[in-house]
Structures are given as C-alpha cells and as structure tokens.
Coordinates of all heavy atoms in Angstrom, one line a residue:
L1 N -50.5 5.0 -28.0 CA -49.0 5.0 -28.1 C -48.5 3.9 -29.0 O -47.6 4.2 -29.9 CB -48.4 4.9 -26.7 CG -46.9 5.0 -26.6 CD1 -46.4 6.4 -27.0 CD2 -46.4 4.7 -25.2
L2 N -49.1 2.8 -28.9 CA -48.7 1.6 -29.8 C -49.0 1.9 -31.2 O -48.2 1.6 -32.1 CB -49.4 0.4 -29.3 CG -48.9 -1.0 -29.9 CD1 -47.4 -1.2 -29.6 CD2 -49.7 -2.1 -29.3
I3 N -50.1 2.5 -31.5 CA -50.5 2.8 -32.9 C -49.5 3.8 -33.5 O -49.1 3.6 -34.6 CB -51.9 3.4 -32.9 CG1 -52.9 2.3 -32.6 CG2 -52.2 3.9 -34.3 CD1 -54.3 2.7 -32.5
F4 N -49.1 4.8 -32.7 CA -48.1 5.8 -33.2 C -46.8 5.1 -33.5 O -46.1 5.4 -34.5 CB -47.9 6.9 -32.3 CG -49.1 7.8 -32.2 CD1 -49.8 8.0 -31.1 CD2 -49.5 8.5 -33.4 CE1 -50.9 8.9 -31.0 CE2 -50.6 9.4 -33.4 CZ -51.3 9.6 -32.2
A5 N -46.4 4.1 -32.6 CA -45.1 3.4 -32.8 C -45.2 2.6 -34.1 O -44.2 2.6 -34.9 CB -44.8 2.5 -31.6
V6 N -46.3 1.9 -34.3 CA -46.4 1.1 -35.5 C -46.4 1.9 -36.8 O -45.7 1.6 -37.8 CB -47.7 0.2 -35.5 CG1 -48.0 -0.4 -36.8 CG2 -47.6 -0.8 -34.4
L7 N -47.2 3.0 -36.7 CA -47.2 3.9 -37.9 C -45.8 4.5 -38.2 O -45.4 4.7 -39.3 CB -48.2 5.0 -37.7 CG -49.7 4.6 -37.7 CD1 -50.6 5.7 -37.4 CD2 -50.0 3.9 -39.1
G8 N -45.1 4.9 -37.1 CA -43.7 5.4 -37.2 C -42.8 4.4 -37.9 O -42.0 4.7 -38.7
I9 N -42.9 3.1 -37.4 CA -42.1 2.1 -38.0 C -42.4 1.8 -39.5 O -41.5 1.7 -40.3 CB -42.2 0.8 -37.2 CG1 -41.5 0.9 -35.8 CG2 -41.7 -0.4 -38.0 CD1 -41.8 -0.2 -34.9
I10 N -43.7 1.9 -39.8 CA -44.1 1.7 -41.2 C -43.5 2.9 -42.0 O -43.0 2.7 -43.2 CB -45.6 1.6 -41.3 CG1 -46.1 0.3 -40.8 CG2 -46.1 1.8 -42.8 CD1 -47.6 0.2 -40.6
A11 N -43.6 4.1 -41.5 CA -43.0 5.2 -42.2 C -41.5 5.1 -42.4 O -41.0 5.4 -43.5 CB -43.4 6.5 -41.4
L12 N -40.8 4.6 -41.4 CA -39.4 4.5 -41.5 C -39.0 3.4 -42.6 O -38.1 3.6 -43.4 CB -38.8 4.1 -40.2 CG -38.7 5.2 -39.2 CD1 -38.2 4.7 -37.8 CD2 -37.8 6.3 -39.7
H13 N -39.8 2.3 -42.6 CA -39.5 1.2 -43.6 C -39.8 1.8 -45.0 O -39.1 1.4 -45.9 CB -40.3 0.0 -43.3 CG -39.8 -0.8 -42.1 ND1 -38.5 -1.3 -42.0 CD2 -40.4 -1.2 -41.0 CE1 -38.4 -1.9 -40.9 NE2 -39.5 -1.9 -40.2
T14 N -40.9 2.6 -45.1 CA -41.2 3.2 -46.4 C -40.1 4.1 -46.9 O -39.7 4.0 -48.1 CB -42.5 4.0 -46.3 OG1 -43.6 3.1 -45.9 CG2 -42.9 4.6 -47.6
V15 N -39.5 4.9 -46.0 CA -38.4 5.8 -46.4 C -37.2 4.9 -46.8 O -36.5 5.3 -47.8 CB -38.1 6.7 -45.2 CG1 -36.7 7.4 -45.5 CG2 -39.2 7.7 -45.0
E16 N -36.9 3.9 -46.1 CA -35.8 3.0 -46.5 C -36.0 2.4 -47.9 O -35.1 2.3 -48.7 CB -35.6 1.9 -45.4 CG -35.2 2.5 -44.1 CD -35.5 1.6 -42.9 OE1 -36.1 0.5 -43.1 OE2 -35.2 2.0 -41.8
I17 N -37.2 1.9 -48.1 CA -37.5 1.2 -49.4 C -37.4 2.3 -50.5 O -36.8 2.0 -51.6 CB -38.9 0.6 -49.4 CG1 -38.9 -0.6 -48.5 CG2 -39.4 0.2 -50.8 CD1 -40.3 -1.2 -48.2
W18 N -37.9 3.5 -50.3 CA -37.9 4.5 -51.4 C -36.4 4.9 -51.6 O -36.0 5.3 -52.7 CB -38.8 5.7 -51.0 CG -40.2 5.4 -51.3 CD1 -41.0 4.5 -50.8 CD2 -41.0 6.2 -52.3 NE1 -42.3 4.6 -51.3 CE2 -42.3 5.6 -52.2 CE3 -40.8 7.2 -53.1 CZ2 -43.3 6.1 -53.0 CZ3 -41.8 7.7 -53.9 CH2 -43.1 7.1 -53.9
S19 N -35.6 5.0 -50.5 CA -34.2 5.3 -50.6 C -33.5 4.4 -51.5 O -32.7 4.7 -52.4 CB -33.6 5.5 -49.3 OG -34.2 6.4 -48.5
Y20 N -33.7 3.1 -51.3 CA -33.0 2.1 -52.1 C -33.5 2.2 -53.6 O -32.7 2.0 -54.5 CB -33.3 0.7 -51.6 CG -32.3 0.2 -50.6 CD1 -32.7 0.1 -49.2 CD2 -31.0 -0.2 -50.9 CE1 -31.8 -0.4 -48.3 CE2 -30.1 -0.7 -50.0 CZ -30.5 -0.7 -48.7 OH -29.6 -1.2 -47.7
A21 N -34.8 2.5 -53.8 CA -35.3 2.7 -55.1 C -34.6 3.8 -55.8 O -34.2 3.8 -57.0 CB -36.8 2.9 -55.1
A22 N -34.4 4.9 -55.1 CA -33.7 6.1 -55.6 C -32.2 5.7 -55.9 O -31.7 6.2 -56.9 CB -33.7 7.2 -54.6
V23 N -31.6 4.9 -55.1 CA -30.2 4.5 -55.4 C -30.2 3.6 -56.7 O -29.3 3.9 -57.5 CB -29.6 3.7 -54.2 CG1 -28.3 3.0 -54.6 CG2 -29.4 4.6 -53.0
Y24 N -31.1 2.7 -56.8 CA -31.1 1.9 -58.0 C -31.3 2.8 -59.3 O -30.7 2.6 -60.3 CB -32.2 0.8 -58.0 CG -32.0 -0.2 -57.0 CD1 -33.1 -0.6 -56.1 CD2 -30.8 -0.9 -56.8 CE1 -32.9 -1.6 -55.2 CE2 -30.6 -1.8 -55.8 CZ -31.7 -2.2 -55.0 OH -31.5 -3.2 -54.1
L25 N -32.2 3.8 -59.1 CA -32.5 4.7 -60.2 C -31.2 5.5 -60.5 O -30.8 5.7 -61.7 CB -33.7 5.5 -59.9 CG -34.3 6.3 -61.0 CD1 -34.8 5.4 -62.1 CD2 -35.5 7.1 -60.5
G26 N -30.6 6.1 -59.5 CA -29.5 6.9 -59.6 C -28.3 6.2 -60.2 O -27.5 6.8 -61.0
L27 N -28.1 5.0 -59.9 CA -27.0 4.2 -60.4 C -27.2 3.7 -61.8 O -26.3 3.2 -62.5 CB -26.7 3.0 -59.5 CG -26.1 3.3 -58.1 CD1 -26.0 2.1 -57.3 CD2 -24.7 4.0 -58.2
G28 N -28.5 3.8 -62.2 CA -28.8 3.3 -63.6 C -29.0 1.8 -63.6 O -29.1 1.2 -64.7
A29 N -29.2 1.2 -62.4 CA -29.4 -0.3 -62.4 C -30.8 -0.6 -62.9 O -31.0 -1.7 -63.5 CB -29.2 -0.8 -60.9
I30 N -31.8 0.3 -62.7 CA -33.1 0.1 -63.2 C -33.5 1.5 -63.8 O -33.3 2.5 -63.2 CB -34.1 -0.3 -62.1 CG1 -33.7 -1.6 -61.5 CG2 -35.5 -0.3 -62.6 CD1 -34.5 -2.1 -60.3
G31 N -34.1 1.5 -65.0 CA -34.3 2.7 -65.7 C -35.4 3.6 -65.3 O -35.4 4.8 -65.5
E32 N -36.5 3.1 -64.7 CA -37.6 3.9 -64.4 C -37.9 3.7 -62.9 O -37.6 2.7 -62.3 CB -38.9 3.4 -65.2 CG -38.7 3.6 -66.7 CD -39.9 3.1 -67.4 OE1 -41.0 2.9 -66.8 OE2 -39.8 2.8 -68.6
F33 N -38.6 4.7 -62.3 CA -38.9 4.7 -60.9 C -39.8 3.6 -60.4 O -39.6 3.0 -59.4 CB -39.3 6.1 -60.4 CG -39.4 6.2 -58.9 CD1 -38.3 6.2 -58.1 CD2 -40.7 6.2 -58.3 CE1 -38.4 6.2 -56.7 CE2 -40.7 6.2 -56.9 CZ -39.6 6.2 -56.1
E34 N -40.9 3.4 -61.1 CA -41.9 2.4 -60.6 C -41.3 1.0 -60.5 O -41.4 0.4 -59.5 CB -43.1 2.4 -61.5 CG -44.3 1.6 -60.9 CD -44.2 0.2 -61.2 OE1 -43.7 -0.2 -62.3 OE2 -44.7 -0.6 -60.4
P35 N -40.6 0.6 -61.6 CA -39.9 -0.8 -61.4 C -38.8 -0.8 -60.3 O -38.7 -1.8 -59.6 CB -39.3 -1.0 -62.8 CG -40.1 -0.2 -63.7 CD -40.5 1.0 -62.9
A36 N -38.2 0.4 -60.2 CA -37.1 0.4 -59.1 C -37.8 0.3 -57.7 O -37.3 -0.4 -56.8 CB -36.3 1.7 -59.2
L37 N -38.9 1.0 -57.5 CA -39.6 0.9 -56.3 C -40.2 -0.5 -56.0 O -40.1 -1.0 -54.9 CB -40.8 2.0 -56.3 CG -41.6 2.1 -55.0 CD1 -40.7 2.5 -53.8 CD2 -42.7 3.1 -55.1
Y38 N -40.7 -1.1 -57.1 CA -41.3 -2.4 -56.9 C -40.1 -3.4 -56.6 O -40.3 -4.2 -55.7 CB -41.9 -2.9 -58.3 CG -42.3 -4.3 -58.3 CD1 -43.4 -4.8 -57.7 CD2 -41.5 -5.2 -59.1 CE1 -43.7 -6.2 -57.7 CE2 -41.8 -6.5 -59.1 CZ -42.9 -7.0 -58.5 OH -43.2 -8.4 -58.5
F39 N -39.0 -3.3 -57.3 CA -37.9 -4.2 -57.0 C -37.4 -4.0 -55.6 O -37.0 -4.9 -54.9 CB -36.8 -4.0 -58.1 CG -35.6 -4.8 -57.8 CD1 -35.5 -6.1 -58.2 CD2 -34.5 -4.3 -57.1 CE1 -34.4 -6.9 -57.9 CE2 -33.3 -5.1 -56.9 CZ -33.3 -6.4 -57.3
S40 N -37.3 -2.7 -55.2 CA -36.8 -2.4 -53.9 C -37.7 -3.0 -52.8 O -37.3 -3.5 -51.8 CB -36.7 -0.9 -53.7 OG -36.2 -0.6 -52.4
T41 N -39.0 -2.9 -53.0 CA -40.0 -3.4 -52.0 C -39.9 -4.9 -52.0 O -39.9 -5.5 -50.9 CB -41.4 -3.0 -52.4 OG1 -41.5 -1.6 -52.5 CG2 -42.4 -3.5 -51.4
V42 N -39.8 -5.6 -53.1 CA -39.7 -7.0 -53.1 C -38.4 -7.5 -52.5 O -38.3 -8.5 -51.7 CB -39.8 -7.5 -54.6 CG1 -39.4 -9.0 -54.7 CG2 -41.2 -7.3 -55.1
S43 N -37.3 -6.7 -52.7 CA -36.0 -7.1 -52.1 C -36.0 -6.8 -50.6 O -35.5 -7.6 -49.8 CB -34.9 -6.3 -52.8 OG -34.8 -6.7 -54.1
F44 N -36.5 -5.7 -50.2 CA -36.4 -5.3 -48.8 C -37.3 -6.2 -47.9 O -36.9 -6.5 -46.8 CB -36.9 -3.8 -48.7 CG -36.7 -3.2 -47.3 CD1 -35.4 -2.7 -47.0 CD2 -37.7 -3.2 -46.3 CE1 -35.2 -2.1 -45.8 CE2 -37.4 -2.6 -45.1 CZ -36.2 -2.1 -44.8
T45 N -38.4 -6.7 -48.5 CA -39.2 -7.6 -47.7 C -38.8 -9.0 -47.9 O -39.4 -9.9 -47.3 CB -40.7 -7.5 -48.1 OG1 -40.8 -7.7 -49.5 CG2 -41.2 -6.1 -47.8
T46 N -37.7 -9.3 -48.6 CA -37.1 -10.6 -48.9 C -38.1 -11.6 -49.5 O -37.9 -12.8 -49.4 CB -36.5 -11.2 -47.6 OG1 -37.5 -11.5 -46.7 CG2 -35.4 -10.3 -47.0
I47 N -39.0 -11.0 -50.3 CA -39.9 -11.9 -51.1 C -39.1 -12.4 -52.3 O -39.1 -13.6 -52.6 CB -41.2 -11.1 -51.5 CG1 -42.0 -10.8 -50.3 CG2 -42.0 -12.0 -52.5 CD1 -43.2 -9.9 -50.6
G48 N -38.5 -11.5 -53.1 CA -37.6 -11.8 -54.2 C -38.3 -12.6 -55.3 O -37.9 -13.7 -55.6
Y49 N -39.3 -12.0 -55.9 CA -40.1 -12.7 -57.0 C -39.2 -13.1 -58.1 O -39.3 -14.1 -58.7 CB -41.2 -11.9 -57.5 CG -42.4 -11.8 -56.6 CD1 -42.9 -10.5 -56.2 CD2 -43.0 -12.9 -56.0 CE1 -44.0 -10.4 -55.4 CE2 -44.0 -12.8 -55.2 CZ -44.6 -11.6 -54.9 OH -45.6 -11.5 -54.0
G50 N -38.2 -12.2 -58.5 CA -37.3 -12.5 -59.6 C -37.8 -12.1 -61.0 O -37.2 -12.4 -62.0
D51 N -39.0 -11.4 -61.0 CA -39.5 -10.9 -62.3 C -38.7 -9.7 -62.8 O -38.6 -9.5 -64.0 CB -41.0 -10.6 -62.3 CG -41.4 -9.7 -61.2 OD1 -40.6 -9.5 -60.2 OD2 -42.5 -9.2 -61.2
I52 N -38.0 -9.0 -61.9 CA -37.1 -7.9 -62.3 C -35.8 -8.3 -61.7 O -35.7 -8.6 -60.4 CB -37.5 -6.6 -61.8 CG1 -38.9 -6.2 -62.4 CG2 -36.5 -5.5 -62.0 CD1 -39.4 -4.8 -61.9
V53 N -34.7 -8.4 -62.5 CA -33.4 -8.7 -61.9 C -32.4 -7.6 -62.3 O -32.6 -7.0 -63.3 CB -32.9 -10.1 -62.4 CG1 -33.8 -11.2 -61.9 CG2 -32.9 -10.2 -63.9
L54 N -31.4 -7.5 -61.5 CA -30.4 -6.5 -61.8 C -29.2 -7.1 -62.5 O -29.1 -8.4 -62.5 CB -29.8 -5.9 -60.5 CG -30.8 -5.2 -59.6 CD1 -30.1 -4.7 -58.3 CD2 -31.5 -4.1 -60.3
G55 N -28.4 -6.3 -63.2 CA -27.2 -6.8 -63.8 C -26.2 -7.4 -62.8 O -26.3 -7.1 -61.6
P56 N -25.3 -8.1 -63.3 CA -24.3 -8.8 -62.4 C -23.6 -7.8 -61.5 O -23.3 -8.1 -60.3 CB -23.4 -9.5 -63.3 CG -24.1 -9.6 -64.6 CD -25.0 -8.5 -64.7
Q57 N -23.3 -6.6 -61.9 CA -22.6 -5.6 -61.1 C -23.4 -5.0 -60.0 O -22.8 -4.4 -59.1 CB -22.0 -4.5 -62.0 CG -23.0 -3.6 -62.6 CD -23.6 -4.0 -63.9 OE1 -23.6 -5.2 -64.2 NE2 -24.0 -3.1 -64.8
W58 N -24.7 -5.2 -60.0 CA -25.6 -4.6 -58.9 C -26.2 -5.7 -58.0 O -27.0 -5.3 -57.1 CB -26.6 -3.7 -59.5 CG -26.1 -2.6 -60.4 CD1 -26.3 -2.5 -61.7 CD2 -25.2 -1.6 -60.0 NE1 -25.6 -1.4 -62.2 CE2 -24.9 -0.8 -61.1 CE3 -24.6 -1.2 -58.8 CZ2 -24.1 0.3 -61.1 CZ3 -23.8 -0.1 -58.7 CH2 -23.6 0.7 -59.8
R59 N -26.0 -6.9 -58.3 CA -26.7 -8.0 -57.6 C -26.3 -8.0 -56.1 O -27.2 -8.2 -55.2 CB -26.4 -9.4 -58.1 CG -27.0 -9.6 -59.4 CD -26.8 -11.0 -59.9 NE -27.3 -11.1 -61.3 CZ -26.9 -12.0 -62.2 NH1 -26.0 -12.9 -61.8 NH2 -27.4 -12.0 -63.4
I60 N -25.1 -7.7 -55.7 CA -24.7 -7.6 -54.3 C -25.5 -6.5 -53.6 O -25.8 -6.7 -52.4 CB -23.2 -7.5 -54.2 CG1 -22.8 -7.8 -52.7 CG2 -22.7 -6.1 -54.5 CD1 -22.9 -9.2 -52.3
L61 N -25.8 -5.4 -54.3 CA -26.5 -4.3 -53.6 C -27.9 -4.8 -53.3 O -28.4 -4.5 -52.2 CB -26.6 -3.1 -54.6 CG -27.3 -1.9 -54.1 CD1 -26.7 -1.4 -52.8 CD2 -27.4 -0.8 -55.1
S62 N -28.6 -5.5 -54.1 CA -29.9 -6.0 -53.8 C -29.8 -7.1 -52.7 O -30.8 -7.2 -51.9 CB -30.6 -6.6 -55.0 OG -29.9 -7.7 -55.5
A63 N -28.8 -7.9 -52.6 CA -28.6 -8.8 -51.6 C -28.4 -8.1 -50.2 O -29.0 -8.5 -49.2 CB -27.4 -9.7 -51.8
I64 N -27.7 -7.0 -50.2 CA -27.5 -6.2 -49.0 C -28.8 -5.6 -48.6 O -29.1 -5.6 -47.4 CB -26.4 -5.1 -49.3 CG1 -25.1 -5.7 -49.4 CG2 -26.5 -4.1 -48.2 CD1 -24.0 -4.8 -49.9
E65 N -29.6 -5.2 -49.6 CA -30.9 -4.6 -49.2 C -31.8 -5.7 -48.6 O -32.5 -5.4 -47.6 CB -31.7 -4.0 -50.4 CG -33.0 -3.5 -50.1 CD -33.8 -2.9 -51.3 OE1 -33.4 -3.2 -52.4 OE2 -34.8 -2.3 -51.0
G66 N -31.8 -6.9 -49.1 CA -32.6 -8.0 -48.5 C -32.1 -8.3 -47.1 O -33.0 -8.4 -46.2
A67 N -30.8 -8.3 -46.9 CA -30.3 -8.6 -45.5 C -30.7 -7.4 -44.6 O -31.1 -7.7 -43.4 CB -28.8 -8.8 -45.6
N68 N -30.6 -6.2 -45.1 CA -30.9 -5.1 -44.3 C -32.4 -5.1 -43.9 O -32.8 -4.8 -42.8 CB -30.6 -3.8 -45.1 CG -30.7 -2.5 -44.3 OD1 -30.8 -2.5 -43.1 ND2 -30.9 -1.4 -45.0
G69 N -33.3 -5.4 -44.9 CA -34.7 -5.5 -44.6 C -35.0 -6.5 -43.6 O -35.8 -6.3 -42.7
L70 N -34.4 -7.7 -43.7 CA -34.6 -8.8 -42.8 C -34.2 -8.4 -41.3 O -35.0 -8.6 -40.4 CB -33.8 -10.0 -43.2 CG -34.0 -11.3 -42.4 CD1 -35.4 -11.8 -42.5 CD2 -33.0 -12.3 -42.8
I71 N -33.1 -7.8 -41.2 CA -32.6 -7.3 -39.9 C -33.5 -6.2 -39.3 O -33.9 -6.3 -38.2 CB -31.2 -6.8 -40.0 CG1 -30.2 -8.0 -40.2 CG2 -30.7 -6.1 -38.7 CD1 -28.8 -7.6 -40.6
L72 N -33.9 -5.3 -40.2 CA -34.7 -4.2 -39.7 C -36.1 -4.6 -39.3 O -36.7 -4.1 -38.4 CB -34.7 -3.0 -40.7 CG -33.4 -2.3 -40.8 CD1 -33.5 -1.2 -41.9 CD2 -33.0 -1.7 -39.5
F73 N -36.7 -5.6 -40.1 CA -38.0 -6.1 -39.7 C -38.0 -6.8 -38.4 O -38.8 -6.7 -37.5 CB -38.6 -7.0 -40.8 CG -39.3 -6.2 -41.9 CD1 -38.9 -6.4 -43.2 CD2 -40.3 -5.3 -41.6 CE1 -39.5 -5.7 -44.2 CE2 -40.9 -4.6 -42.6 CZ -40.5 -4.8 -43.9
G74 N -36.9 -7.6 -38.2 CA -36.7 -8.3 -36.9 C -36.5 -7.3 -35.8 O -37.1 -7.5 -34.7
W75 N -35.7 -6.3 -36.0 CA -35.5 -5.3 -35.0 C -36.8 -4.5 -34.6 O -37.1 -4.3 -33.5 CB -34.4 -4.3 -35.5 CG -33.8 -3.4 -34.5 CD1 -33.9 -3.4 -33.1 CD2 -33.1 -2.2 -34.8 NE1 -33.3 -2.4 -32.6 CE2 -32.7 -1.6 -33.6 CE3 -32.6 -1.6 -36.0 CZ2 -31.9 -0.5 -33.5 CZ3 -31.9 -0.5 -35.9 CH2 -31.5 0.1 -34.6
S76 N -37.6 -4.2 -35.7 CA -38.9 -3.5 -35.4 C -39.8 -4.4 -34.6 O -40.5 -3.9 -33.7 CB -39.5 -3.2 -36.8 OG -38.7 -2.3 -37.5
T77 N -39.8 -5.7 -34.9 CA -40.7 -6.6 -34.2 C -40.2 -6.7 -32.7 O -41.0 -6.7 -31.8 CB -40.6 -8.0 -34.8 OG1 -41.0 -7.9 -36.2 CG2 -41.5 -9.0 -34.1
A78 N -38.9 -6.8 -32.5 CA -38.4 -6.9 -31.1 C -38.7 -5.6 -30.4 O -39.1 -5.6 -29.2 CB -36.9 -7.1 -31.1
F79 N -38.6 -4.4 -31.0 CA -39.0 -3.2 -30.4 C -40.4 -3.1 -30.0 O -40.8 -2.7 -28.9 CB -38.6 -2.0 -31.4 CG -39.1 -0.7 -30.9 CD1 -38.5 0.0 -29.9 CD2 -40.3 -0.1 -31.4 CE1 -38.9 1.2 -29.4 CE2 -40.7 1.1 -31.0 CZ -40.1 1.8 -30.0
L80 N -41.3 -3.6 -30.9 CA -42.7 -3.5 -30.6 C -43.1 -4.5 -29.4 O -43.9 -4.2 -28.6 CB -43.6 -3.9 -31.8 CG -43.6 -2.8 -32.9 CD1 -44.4 -3.3 -34.1 CD2 -44.3 -1.6 -32.3
I81 N -42.5 -5.7 -29.4 CA -42.7 -6.6 -28.3 C -42.2 -6.0 -27.0 O -42.9 -6.1 -26.0 CB -42.1 -8.0 -28.6 CG1 -42.9 -8.6 -29.7 CG2 -42.0 -8.8 -27.4 CD1 -42.2 -9.9 -30.3
S82 N -41.1 -5.4 -27.0 CA -40.5 -4.8 -25.8 C -41.4 -3.6 -25.4 O -41.7 -3.5 -24.1 CB -39.1 -4.2 -26.1 OG -38.6 -3.5 -25.0
M83 N -41.9 -2.9 -26.3 CA -42.8 -1.8 -26.0 C -44.1 -2.3 -25.4 O -44.6 -1.7 -24.4 CB -43.0 -0.9 -27.2 CG -43.8 0.3 -27.0 SD -43.9 1.2 -28.5 CE -45.0 2.5 -28.0
M84 N -44.7 -3.3 -26.0 CA -45.9 -3.9 -25.5 C -45.7 -4.5 -24.1 O -46.6 -4.3 -23.2 CB -46.4 -5.0 -26.4 CG -47.0 -4.4 -27.7 SD -47.4 -5.7 -28.9 CE -48.6 -6.7 -27.9
S85 N -44.6 -5.1 -23.8 CA -44.3 -5.6 -22.5 C -44.2 -4.5 -21.5 O -44.8 -4.6 -20.4 CB -43.0 -6.4 -22.6 OG -42.6 -6.8 -21.3
R86 N -43.5 -3.4 -21.8 CA -43.5 -2.3 -20.9 C -44.8 -1.6 -20.6 O -45.1 -1.3 -19.5 CB -42.5 -1.2 -21.4 CG -41.1 -1.7 -21.3 CD -40.1 -0.7 -21.8 NE -38.8 -1.2 -21.8 CZ -37.7 -0.4 -21.7 NH1 -37.8 0.9 -21.6 NH2 -36.5 -1.0 -21.7
L87 N -45.6 -1.5 -21.7 CA -47.0 -1.0 -21.5 C -47.8 -1.9 -20.7 O -48.6 -1.4 -19.8 CB -47.6 -0.7 -22.9 CG -47.1 0.4 -23.7 CD1 -47.7 0.5 -25.1 CD2 -47.3 1.8 -23.0
R88 N -47.7 -3.2 -20.8 CA -48.4 -4.1 -20.0 C -48.0 -4.0 -18.6 O -48.9 -4.1 -17.7 CB -48.2 -5.5 -20.6 CG -48.9 -6.6 -19.8 CD -49.9 -7.4 -20.5 NE -50.2 -7.1 -21.8 CZ -51.2 -7.5 -22.4 NH1 -52.0 -8.3 -21.8 NH2 -51.5 -7.2 -23.7
T89 N -46.7 -3.9 -18.3 CA -46.3 -3.7 -16.9 C -46.8 -2.4 -16.3 O -47.3 -2.4 -15.2 CB -44.7 -3.7 -16.9 OG1 -44.2 -4.9 -17.4 CG2 -44.2 -3.5 -15.5
L90 N -46.8 -1.3 -17.1 CA -47.4 -0.1 -16.6 C -48.9 -0.2 -16.3 O -49.4 0.3 -15.3 CB -47.1 1.0 -17.6 CG -45.7 1.5 -17.7 CD1 -45.5 2.5 -18.8 CD2 -45.2 2.1 -16.4
E91 N -49.6 -0.9 -17.2 CA -51.0 -1.1 -17.0 C -51.3 -1.9 -15.8 O -52.2 -1.6 -15.0 CB -51.6 -1.8 -18.3 CG -53.0 -2.1 -18.2 CD -53.5 -2.9 -19.4 OE1 -52.7 -3.7 -20.0 OE2 -54.7 -2.8 -19.7
H92 N -50.5 -3.0 -15.6 CA -50.6 -3.8 -14.4 C -50.4 -3.1 -13.1 O -51.1 -3.2 -12.2 CB -49.7 -5.0 -14.5 CG -49.8 -6.0 -13.4 ND1 -51.0 -6.6 -13.0 CD2 -48.9 -6.4 -12.5 CE1 -50.8 -7.4 -12.0 NE2 -49.5 -7.3 -11.6
D93 N -49.3 -2.3 -13.1 CA -49.0 -1.5 -11.9 C -50.1 -0.4 -11.7 O -50.5 -0.2 -10.5 CB -47.7 -0.7 -12.1 CG -46.5 -1.7 -12.1 OD1 -46.7 -2.8 -11.6 OD2 -45.4 -1.3 -12.5
W94 N -50.7 0.1 -12.7 CA -51.7 1.1 -12.6 C -53.0 0.5 -12.0 O -53.7 1.1 -11.2 CB -52.0 1.8 -13.9 CG -53.0 2.9 -13.8 CD1 -52.8 4.1 -13.3 CD2 -54.3 2.8 -14.3 NE1 -54.0 4.8 -13.4 CE2 -55.0 4.0 -14.0 CE3 -55.1 1.8 -14.9 CZ2 -56.3 4.3 -14.3 CZ3 -56.4 2.0 -15.2 CH2 -57.0 3.3 -14.9
L95 N -53.3 -0.7 -12.5 CA -54.5 -1.3 -12.0 C -54.4 -1.8 -10.6 O -55.5 -1.9 -9.9 CB -54.9 -2.5 -12.9 CG -55.4 -2.2 -14.3 CD1 -55.5 -3.5 -15.2 CD2 -56.7 -1.4 -14.3
E96 N -53.2 -2.1 -10.1 CA -53.1 -2.5 -8.7 C -53.3 -1.4 -7.7 O -53.5 -1.6 -6.5 CB -51.7 -3.2 -8.5 CG -51.6 -4.5 -9.1 CD -50.3 -5.2 -8.8 OE1 -49.4 -4.6 -8.3 OE2 -50.2 -6.4 -9.1
R97 N -53.1 -0.2 -8.2 CA -53.3 1.0 -7.2 C -54.7 1.2 -6.9 O -55.7 1.1 -7.0 CB -52.7 2.2 -7.9 CG -51.2 2.1 -8.0 CD -50.7 3.4 -8.6 NE -49.2 3.2 -8.9 CZ -48.5 4.1 -9.3 NH1 -49.0 5.3 -9.6 NH2 -47.2 3.9 -9.5

C-alpha cells in the first residue's frame, strides 16, 4: 500500500512539473520543451540552478512554481508520515489479536 502511495505521489509531482513546462512553452517564456522541462523541474524542486532564467515578465511565475513545489513536497511528506502512522497502528492492533 505504501509503495503505491509513493508511486502515486511521484506520478502527481511529475504531472505538475510537466504542466508547468507546458505553460512555459505555451507562453513563449522558453522556446523548446526540453529546456522548459528542465527549468520546471529545477524550479519545482526549489533547486534553482540559474543556468536557465526567464525574462522579467515571467519571473513571478517561476517563483510561484517554486513555492508550489515546496508546499506540495511538504504536504506529500506529511501525507506519507500520516499514512505510515496509521498502518503502524493497524499492524500493532493486528499483532495483539
């Protein structure tokens, strides 16, 4: 169950990263898909290397993506910890029977 949850969270984060890359591409902020995907991944994970930068009119969008990624990674971590805690409680209750 835990493996499926982790894989599901990874899939959701991947969709979010690809969606931001598509937005950058659609707005013309980045001209090709591979650099847009790379920039989106770096921004979403809040690494922010700075080797690809957006124009001044799009910088706030990348900042929003970074904040969004930070919040969603924290939320995912909290969800997994909560899930593990519940599974541990169920396991403990099952072993006592």
Side-chain angles (χ1 to χ4, degrees):
L1 184 63
L2 189 60
I3 291 172
F4 288 120
V6 170
L7 292 175
I9 288 171
I10 290 170
L12 288 173
H13 287 304
T14 301
V15 168
E16 294 158 358
I17 290 169
W18 280 64
S19 298
Y20 272 106
V23 168
Y24 294 135
L25 194 61
L27 292 174
I30 300 176
E32 297 176 20
F33 186 71
E34 191 277 328
L37 183 60
Y38 169 76
F39 178 80
S40 179
T41 303
V42 169
S43 296
F44 193 82
T45 58
T46 64
I47 294 172
Y49 287 130
D51 52 346
I52 297 176
V53 293
L54 298 181
Q57 68 273 27
W58 303 117
R59 287 182 188 160
I60 193 71
L61 180 60
S62 64
I64 291 170
E65 181 184 7
N68 187 20
L70 182 65
I71 290 167
L72 290 176
F73 277 124
W75 193 13
S76 298
T77 302
F79 172 76
L80 287 174
I81 289 172
S82 173
M83 186 176 175
M84 287 174 57
S85 174
R86 288 181 184 206
L87 288 173
R88 178 124 349 199
T89 302
L90 289 173
E91 178 185 30
H92 179 57
D93 290 345
W94 182 76
L95 289 174
E96 285 185 352
R97 291 182 188 182

